[in-house]
Amino acid sequence: MKTTIEELLAFRTVVDTGSITAAAEQLSQTVSGVSRALSRLEQKLATTLLRRTTRRLELTEEGAAFLQRTRSILDAIDEAEEQMASRREQPAGRLRVNAASPYMLHAVVPLVAEFRRRYPQIELELDTDDLPIDLLERRTDIAIRIGPLRDSTLHARPLGTHRLRVLASPAYLEAHGRPRKVEELATHTLLGFTQPESLNRWPLRGPHGDEWQIAPSLAASSGETLRQLALAGVGMVCLSDFMTAADRASGALVQVLARDTVDVRQPVNAVYYRNTQLSARITSFLDFLAERLAD
């Protein structure tokens, strides 16, 4: 008796989600249905693929080996179906996109509705991480990264650059005064990042050149957290234009030390693995993002 696609899909989804219940929810099936599919598969293969404990599922050695083949088979089916959809100029399938939460919120999310109208058969999954992730480990198709790239194994498509500015709310400046010289920042509350440390080097001309290393009075891992703190009048912050364009336009945040600010721009790249021809769903998203961000 031959194994079926349904059984392979159930096996892969259980492994990826970590439980039969989560797999059933993702596949829109019953828990008993997914469990039976797994049991049939193990019976046909005459081997145990997953050890079931009260707390989790664990791959056996045979299960790990079979999982590789299962992924290859299902990926080949997805690719074949996608090629047929591409012939009708309708890219389809699931597209996993990862970005830092501020970039996702301020740059990507506002474009999603238009992308969905243009490509209704692409199923978007949007994940956020404030630090770079392993694309293979997280099964991510595209990651959007801000700043210099360090991973030479990835292919990259430039999406533009965004200028860095030092900003504060009018309420903060009214309460604490506006600095006239870079050295006066020492008397102010400065909002910075916990990591990477490079984000705490502000593009300001001073005695030490074109960078000013700050010692944050308050630090956070997310740029969006720092933005909200600045809007609340807690302190001064240095953020990229993509996060603060609306705030500056409305006057909620204003630039300080503009004459001493060096024109430093953070590069933004979409990165991905490219072992074969790029799928239509990835290409369509990259083209759309590049087009809209250029506008």
Side-chain angles (χ1 to χ4, degrees), residues 46 73 89 103 125 132 180 230 236 253 274:
I73 292 168
E89 297 183 353
Y103 198 84
E125 279 190 13
R180 303 299 176 184
M236 294 186 183
L253 291 176
R274 183 174 183 172

Side-chain angles (χ1 to χ4, degrees), residues 157-169:
R157 176 160 177 178
L159 297 177
T161 61
H162 296 281
R163 188 176 181 183
L164 290 167
R165 302 174 197 264
V166 180
L167 305 161
S169 71

Side-chain angles (χ1 to χ4, degrees), residues 154-215:
L154 298 173
H155 292 263
R157 176 160 177 178
L159 297 177
T161 61
H162 296 281
R163 188 176 181 183
L164 290 167
R165 302 174 197 264
V166 180
L167 305 161
S169 71
Y172 175 87
L173 296 177
E174 183 178 350
H176 302 279
R178 179 187 289 267
R180 303 299 176 184
K181 297 185 297 184
V182 175
E183 293 85 346
E184 294 178 14
L185 290 179
T187 64
H188 285 270
T189 299
L190 306 182
L191 309 176
F193 288 84
T194 53
Q195 58 177 314
E197 184 59 30
S198 60
L199 292 178
N200 292 328
R201 294 195 291 267
W202 291 7
L204 296 171
R205 297 184 186 88
H208 302 291
D210 289 345
E211 286 185 340
W212 186 266
Q213 179 72 48
I214 70 158

